Amino acid sequence: MSNENSSIHEFDFNLICEYFASIDRQGPGSPEATLKALGFIDNLTDESRIADIGCGTGGQTMTLAQHARGFITGIDLFPQFIDLFNAQAARLHLSEKAKGVVGSMESLPFQPGELDLIWSEGAIYNIGFERGINEWHPLLKPGGYLAVTEASWFTDQRPAEIETFWNDAYPQIDTIAAKVALMQQAGYVPVATFILPETCWTDHFYQPQEKAQADFLRKYAGNATAEAFVANERREARLYDLYKQYYGYVFYIGKKI
Ligand code: SAH
């Protein structure tokens, strides 16, 4: 976020935060996909330290906390998300297993070699995949795991409309093979990759937004920022429906050597 017009940016920021706080997930995913990825992690004990980076309100963290051994620290930049995360953990009697803290993925509050597992769903794009996997690598113990989801191309060629959209939204989107090569270069054994099923986008991400959008537009009727934001989210969902054979989210699981 730039500094000019900071009051306007702050207003946008609060609106976006409010919108996403009203739904369970802030990115595509599902409990089934989280558990499938967890199935590849074989080193956890009750003493394990796990970080869930860009955890949002904790949709996937609660699934992890219910099924993984060890203690999870959820990190997110938005205090409102972290409040919801900790309230949810308390409601599910998981406060002994997971704690949310406000922080940035650019300066994580962990010591070198402290972590057994780094998790991050739909969030590493904020720092960029290549930078994230490299900067987080020293925080893992040897033999520790990284499990992240990242927007990826499924084919070498794409229709121009979707290519343009992604080059604007996240130019680092690339093929699965290219992302795996980056993992290898960063010092991870590429243990597994799998494409998140379409329902991770439709049932778990775009459909819950439809009600949130209606409520949001009612509350902020006539507000150009809110209307533009919702129009943008709807465009994104429409593009997914049109072009989902060309891109999606992929789980990348790697082991530090
Ligand atoms: N993992 C959640 C949220 C994904 S949305 C889910 O899958 O539902 C991406 C999240 O990254 C948001 O919650 C956003 O607040 C967070 N985020 C963005 N930039 C960040 C940064 N620099 N450090 C930590 N979190 C960040």
Side-chain angles (χ1 to χ4, degrees):
M1 244 180 270
S2 65
N3 286 330
E4 92 280 12
N5 285 331
S6 64
S7 60
I8 294 175
H9 286 300
E10 202 164 302
F11 179 64
D12 293 359
F13 181 87
N14 288 337
L15 272 186
I16 294 167
C17 198
E18 178 185 334
Y19 175 87
F20 279 112
S22 71
I23 51 180
D24 287 344
R25 294 198 60 106
Q26 291 75 46
S30 71
E32 293 76 21
T34 297
L35 292 178
K36 183 168 174 169
L38 186 61
F40 291 100
I41 315 298
D42 60 12
N43 65 337
L44 298 177
T45 69
D46 293 340
E47 276 67 55
S48 291
R49 288 281 172 270
I50 303 169
D52 183 359
I53 302 174
C55 57
T57 59
Q60 73 292 314
T61 330
M62 301 304 135
T63 302
L64 277 180
Q66 282 160 336
H67 293 91
R69 295 173 72 190
F71 181 82
I72 310 169
T73 305
I75 311 271
D76 203 280
L77 207 52
F78 286 8
Q80 192 186 344
F81 288 174
I82 292 300
D83 288 346
L84 288 166
F85 178 113
N86 286 323
Q88 200 183 176
R91 207 166 43 243
L92 296 172
H93 308 288
L94 291 169
S95 302
E96 302 290 305
K97 289 276 309 178
K99 181 175 165 48
V101 298
V102 177
S104 173
M105 60 178 76
E106 299 191 35
S107 58
L108 290 166
F110 303 106
Q111 298 303 313
E114 183 179 337
L115 298 171
D116 297 275
L117 172 61
I118 292 178
W119 205 269
S120 184
E121 293 193 34
I124 197 171
Y125 72 89
N126 287 293
I127 191 172
F129 183 84
E130 185 171 11
R131 184 176 160 204
I133 63 171
N134 279 282
E135 286 191 6
W136 302 346
H137 187 267
L139 304 177
L140 282 173
K141 289 178 186 150
Y145 282 86
L146 171 86
V148 302
T149 62
E150 165 81 340
S152 309
W153 293 127
F154 297 160
T155 57
D156 283 332
Q157 307 286 322
R158 282 81 50 173
E161 185 180 25
I162 197 61
E163 183 100 27
T164 305
F165 170 81
W166 274 103
N167 282 337
D168 181 44
Y170 183 54
Q172 282 187 47
I173 185 171
D174 209 337
T175 57
I176 297 171
K179 297 281 175 191
V180 167
L182 289 175
M183 288 180 77
Q184 182 111 31
Q185 284 160 28
Y188 301 91
V189 178
V191 170
T193 67
F194 65 91
I195 295 173
L196 266 59
E198 275 174 43
T199 50
C200 289
W201 295 75
T202 52
D203 300 5
H204 293 277
F205 190 50
Y206 289 135
Q207 272 161 30
Q209 285 190 55
E210 285 170 17
K211 184 183 178 304
Q213 287 162 355
D215 294 346
F216 195 70
L217 287 179
R218 212 172 303 118
K219 181 169 174 190
Y220 292 105
N223 178 320
T225 306
E227 284 170 0
F229 175 72
V230 168
N232 203 48
E233 293 304 303
R234 287 178 172 165
R235 172 162 183 255
E236 201 190 293
R238 213 165 40 244
L239 286 174
Y240 180 70
D241 193 42
L242 274 175
Y243 296 115
K244 59 194 171 197
Q245 68 269 44
Y246 296 101
Y247 72 96
Y249 260 101
V250 174
F251 237 116
Y252 293 92
I253 297 136
K255 184 171 187 169
K256 176 174 175 169
I257 39 174

